[in-house]
Amino acid sequence: MRRLLAGTRIRLTLAFAAVLAIAIVVADVALYLALSRAETGAAADVLVSQANTIVSGIEDVNGEVRFGAGDLPTETQQGVAVEAAIVAADGSISQSPGQALSNATLTSIAATARTKTTPAPPFSVRDSRGVPRLVYALPLQTTQGASAVLIVSRSISELQTALNQALLFLAVLSLLAVVAGTLLAHTLAGRILEPVRRIASTARSLSQNELHRRVEVEVPPDELGELVETFNGMLARLEASFESLRRFTADASHELRNPLALMRSELEGTLARARTPGEYQQVLLDLEAEVEHMSRMVDQLLMLARADAGALRPAETNLDVADFLHETAARWRPVADSRHVQVDVEAPDSGSVRADPDLLRRVMDNLIDNATRHTPEGTAVELIGAPTGGGWNIDVRDHGPGVPAAARPVLFERFARADGARARDTAGAGLGLALSRAIAESHGGTLQLLDQNGSGATFRLFLPRVPSSP
Ligand SMILES: Nc1ncnc2c1ncn2[C@@H]1O[C@H](COP(=O)(O)OP(=O)(O)OP(=O)(O)O)[C@@H](O)[C@H]1O
Ligand SMILES: [Mg+2]
């Protein structure tokens, strides 16, 4: 993870450096072009104005063009060195003293200029020594119709040196900016990735016993904040599920150890001396009851584990509600009679739900078992089926003391026993309601304890008409 983060940091830094370098190069090129164009333009303006000054001093004597004031000037009035030459129509050249351009160059420039109707903008050539010069050629119509050409030129080697220096300066400055920017990006990337690194190191150092820890990093409420929040949320969920797993395992082993210890002491006591066949039979009957109790609990635990793993798949068929309730009541009557309570059914004659009959029987058995245990002798447990908008409500109502308010929030948790009755002759393991709810949910339904009005508890099982996937 650390190496991965280092890689991300380098990649972020390089990406930033690349974008910065491209931006700076583009800016440099634009700046250089603007500077060069401005400087060359200013130099060209000087040439054009010098050409115009010279033209105003030129005389045309019978078609022969001549500069009246003697030699052609070698500089402007402002003292800028500008050389001039006039290439006459017949090809003869008069020029300023020390002309840098060769006659051949002047002649060829004049020949090109004569072909144009308007003067070309100043352009650059190299003189005989290879020095760059800016040249402006102005064709002059003589009175004889032939055309002479005035050529003014100035050295631009200084200008080019200055531009080259500016370019070098820009390059060095840009390089420094890219280096500084890259270092800054590296630092920033490190700072941005710091929470991620902290999350990674927390995750690495977490052991099963440290799930209470959280990533504590100050981050703005952006994507990073969301990441930290999500990670801490995940830790909280992990902590909760580890805790419930731990409690579940502890409770399960506790619940299984008790009957085993009881059976063992009963066996030891019995084997301590010789017994009559009747006594042996009684012990075996006791043991059978214990084994039944334990296997019921193991069976419930296995089913809950399957529900936890999402493997509780009801084999649904169409089930007539009234028939199902009457059949269940009939099945429970012998037990109810032995508990001196009645089981009554109230349901419309037609109507069905889609449910797995075996699983639904388990839910009803647990609810009726609970109800017949809690309802006082001589009262009735009522099974009431009623269609609702989205499906069917099946209520199991008794007339007992109800569920104490303190026990209600945890009633559907595993091993929850409201009456604290650990005496196993009246109480089960406390798994029945947890499993019943898991079965209801696997059908896309719900199981809840209704608010108590008057005496007794009412558990409501809701099954949707068309089961939605749980
Ligand atoms: N109708 C009821 N009236 C009052 N208390 C109830 C009623 N039904 C359940 N309870 C309380 O809820 C607890 C949990 O019920 P649950 O069916 O989950 O477990 P159990 O009946 O104790 O054991 P198991 O069903 O696993 O054999 C019961 O121990 C009891 O205290
Ligand atoms: Mg029960």
Side-chain angles (χ1 to χ4, degrees):
M1 187 70 182
R2 182 171 288 177
R3 221 190 296 153
L4 206 71
L5 285 183
T8 306
R9 186 179 185 182
I10 295 290
R11 276 206 305 280
L12 277 178
T13 308
L14 287 182
F16 179 80
V19 171
L20 184 68
I22 289 172
I24 286 184
V25 165
V26 168
D28 281 355
V29 167
L31 199 64
Y32 178 79
L33 286 180
L35 194 67
S36 150
R37 180 169 296 185
E39 288 298 320
T40 315
D45 287 350
V46 171
L47 278 188
V48 173
S49 103
Q50 178 70 345
N52 290 335
T53 308
I54 292 172
V55 166
S56 63
I58 277 176
E59 295 162 357
D60 183 343
V61 183
N62 299 330
E64 197 181 317
V65 177
R66 213 188 288 142
F67 186 63
D71 274 349
L72 284 161
T74 54
E75 57 182 32
T76 64
Q77 278 165 355
Q78 287 76 33
V80 181
V82 173
E83 288 159 15
I86 293 173
V87 181
D90 62 1
S92 64
I93 298 174
S94 55
Q95 52 190 293
S96 342
Q99 172 65 260
L101 295 174
S102 66
N103 282 356
T105 311
L106 290 171
T107 309
S108 104
I109 292 171
T112 314
R114 273 193 198 103
T115 63
K116 307 257 167 63
T117 45
T118 51
F123 54 96
S124 69
V125 297
R126 289 189 176 271
D127 69 12
S128 46
R129 279 171 295 139
V131 177
R133 294 184 76 81
L134 199 62
V135 176
Y136 179 57
L138 186 63
L140 305 167
Q141 289 304 314
T142 65
T143 46
Q144 301 299 306
S147 107
V149 179
L150 168 65
I151 299 171
V152 286
S153 75
R154 60 177 294 193
S155 160
I156 49 167
S157 73
E158 274 173 25
L159 181 78
Q160 288 231 309
T161 311
L163 281 176
N164 286 346
Q165 270 171 358
L167 192 63
L168 186 70
F169 179 70
L170 275 179
V172 170
L173 210 64
S174 305
L175 196 68
L176 286 177
V178 170
V179 169
T182 306
L183 288 178
L184 190 71
H186 193 249
T187 314
L188 277 180
R191 211 171 281 173
I192 288 170
L193 290 174
E194 176 61 13
V196 184
R197 206 185 57 71
R198 294 271 282 275
I199 291 176
S201 84
T202 307
R204 208 172 19 249
S205 68
L206 276 185
S207 76
Q208 194 174 320
N209 300 323
E210 285 181 318
L211 291 174
H212 61 278
R213 280 180 46 192
R214 298 288 177 269
V215 179
E216 272 150 26
V217 209
E218 278 295 313
V219 278
D222 56 7
E223 290 85 349
L224 279 178
E226 203 181 319
L227 178 66
V228 170
E229 207 174 285
T230 309
F231 186 77
N232 282 340
M234 190 189 75
L235 279 182
R237 283 197 302 280
L238 262 182
E239 187 186 10
S241 61
F242 261 93
E243 175 54 24
S244 84
L245 189 67
R246 195 195 57 73
R247 219 180 31 204
F248 183 59
T249 318
D251 282 348
S253 46
H254 178 79
E255 294 296 329
L256 288 172
R257 206 175 47 200
N258 273 353
L260 279 175
L262 227 99
M263 285 161 76
R264 190 172 168 177
S265 70
E266 196 160 2
L267 278 172
E268 280 170 0
T270 311
L271 292 174
R273 58 183 172 82
R275 304 280 175 177
T276 64
E279 284 175 327
Y280 281 127
Q281 194 178 10
Q282 186 53 49
V283 170
L284 285 177
L285 284 174
D286 288 351
L287 289 181
E288 188 190 19
E290 286 298 345
V291 169
E292 219 165 75
H293 172 77
M294 282 173 62
S295 60
R296 199 170 96 84
M297 184 159 75
V298 169
D299 177 54
Q300 283 177 317
L301 279 174
L302 284 177
M303 199 158 224
L304 273 169
R306 269 172 53 207
D308 283 348
L312 199 62
R313 303 243 162 73
E316 284 166 351
T317 56
N318 275 342
L319 212 66
D320 185 281
V321 178
D323 284 355
F324 176 74
L325 292 183
H326 282 296
E327 177 248 310
T328 306
R331 201 155 40 78
W332 269 91
R333 262 183 205 118
V335 181
D337 283 347
S338 73
R339 293 177 184 171
H340 309 290
V341 294
Q342 259 174 270
V343 181
D344 294 343
V345 175
E346 199 184 308
D349 272 346
S350 66
S352 56
V353 284
R354 280 194 66 76
D356 182 325
D358 288 338
L359 291 179
L360 202 55
R361 224 164 266 142
R362 267 180 179 269
V363 177
M364 294 309 292
D365 285 355
N366 177 56
L367 294 180
I368 298 171
D369 179 43
N370 288 349
T372 51
R373 281 180 199 282
H374 288 89
T375 203
E377 286 187 10
T379 61
V381 167
E382 289 144 44
L383 314 185
I384 305 156
T388 68
W392 275 81
N393 282 334
I394 298 177
D395 292 355
V396 177
R397 183 191 298 163
D398 65 54
H399 298 278
V403 180
R408 290 175 149 247
V410 292
L411 196 66
F412 290 90
E413 285 183 16
R414 291 153 201 208
F415 299 115
R417 274 174 296 205
D419 34 32
R422 295 254 156 183
R424 273 170 296 100
D425 56 334
T426 59
L431 290 170
L433 286 177
L435 183 57
S436 300
R437 178 171 269 183
I439 291 174
E441 284 171 358
S442 77
H443 281 79
T446 55
L447 174 64
Q448 52 187 335
L449 171 63
L450 296 191
D451 284 341
Q452 259 155 259
N453 49 349
S455 71
T458 305
F459 284 87
R460 172 165 292 176
L461 169 69
F462 167 76
L463 291 175
R465 204 177 299 279
V466 177
S468 54
S469 41

